[in-house]
Amino acid sequence: EIVMTQSPATLSVSPGERATLSCRASQNVNGNLAWYQQKPGQAPRLLIYGASIRATGIPARFTGSGSGTDFTLTISSLQSEDFAVYFCQQYNNWPGTFGQGTNVEIK
Amino acid sequence: VQLQESGPRLVRPSQTLSLTCNVSGVAISSGGYYWNWIRQHPGKGLEYIGYISHSGSPYYNPALESRVDISLDTSKTQISLKLRSVSAADTALYYCARSDPYGDNAGWVDTWGQGTLVTVSS
């Protein structure tokens, strides 16, 4: 099973600032990586798939990059609605596995 | 597309956890997607339980394979989950979800149900 490691566990950012979240796979997952956003009491929401393809309706301030084992989600200018937990998921191998999440909180 | 999980919220240890997911807004039989069960332990990350296509065999997480059954009822637009011999470690929020296949794998999840919290306790 591929282990996904996210860092940092918590990221404190002021509104309007840039947030950079990292996700590392224990082995090569090519570009088969997705990012999700989860707010308290809600199901996750798909942000990015294919490492860099924004899902329908996702604002351009969300950018995914990377391939192989190292991936990044960048939120260019944090809005109030962006404070949440973010998960990465590889789907290159079965079972698909998720990282433990990065909590983006208001600084 | 909407997914809605239902089933008992409390299950006794060693018993079978049974959940149903009602799918609306899309026909399961139309194909093109996989139908998944994913769980989230309280305050923790997400774990794949398994998935099934509209016509294919189910695929299970090897860690749970000996205890899990996932099935489809396309006429009723329902997906079912049965998890046998549960313990407290199976207490979690259980999500039904639709994914876009990648090869033979479940792919990325584009639609999630609201989730249902199931507690295993005597």
Side-chain angles (χ1 to χ4, degrees), chain B residues 42-99:
Chain B
K44 300 288 181 62
L46 296 147
E47 178 184 34
Y48 251 106
I49 300 171
Y51 70 93
I52 191 168
S53 71
H54 76 287
S55 61
S57 299
Y59 289 83
Y60 302 129
N61 187 328
L64 299 168
E65 186 168 19
S66 63
R67 301 193 289 131
V68 176
D69 285 312
I70 295 175
S71 60
L72 285 180
D73 183 338
T74 56
S75 63
K76 295 182 180 179
T77 65
Q78 289 183 334
I79 307 148
S80 297
L81 168 69
K82 293 188 185 301
L83 181 63
R84 297 180 293 277
S85 304
V86 298
S87 69
D90 295 309
T91 293
L93 187 58
Y94 286 76
Y95 289 106
C96 173
R98 185 184 80 171
S99 66

Side-chain angles (χ1 to χ4, degrees), chain A residues 32 36 38 43-44 89 92 94 96, chain B residues 40 60 95 102 105 107 109 112:
Chain A
N32 299 313
Y36 303 88
Q38 187 176 34
Q89 178 224 343
N92 193 70
W94 177 251
Chain B
Q40 185 171 30
Y60 302 129
Y95 289 106
Y102 170 72
N105 287 336
V109 176
W112 298 74

Side-chain angles (χ1 to χ4, degrees), chain B residues 10 17 19 31 53 81 96 107-108:
Chain B
L10 178 65
L17 180 159
L19 295 175
S53 71
L81 168 69
C96 173
W108 62 92

Side-chain angles (χ1 to χ4, degrees), chain B residues 11 15 18 23 44 70:
Chain B
V11 182
Q15 299 301 303
S18 296
V23 179
K44 300 288 181 62
I70 295 175

Side-chain angles (χ1 to χ4, degrees), chain A residues 4-9 21-24 35 86-89 98-102:
Chain A
M4 307 301 292
T5 303
Q6 291 186 244
S7 60
L21 289 66
S22 294
C23 175
R24 174 166 289 180
W35 289 95
Y86 293 83
F87 294 98
C88 61
Q89 178 224 343
F98 297 83
Q100 287 299 102
T102 291

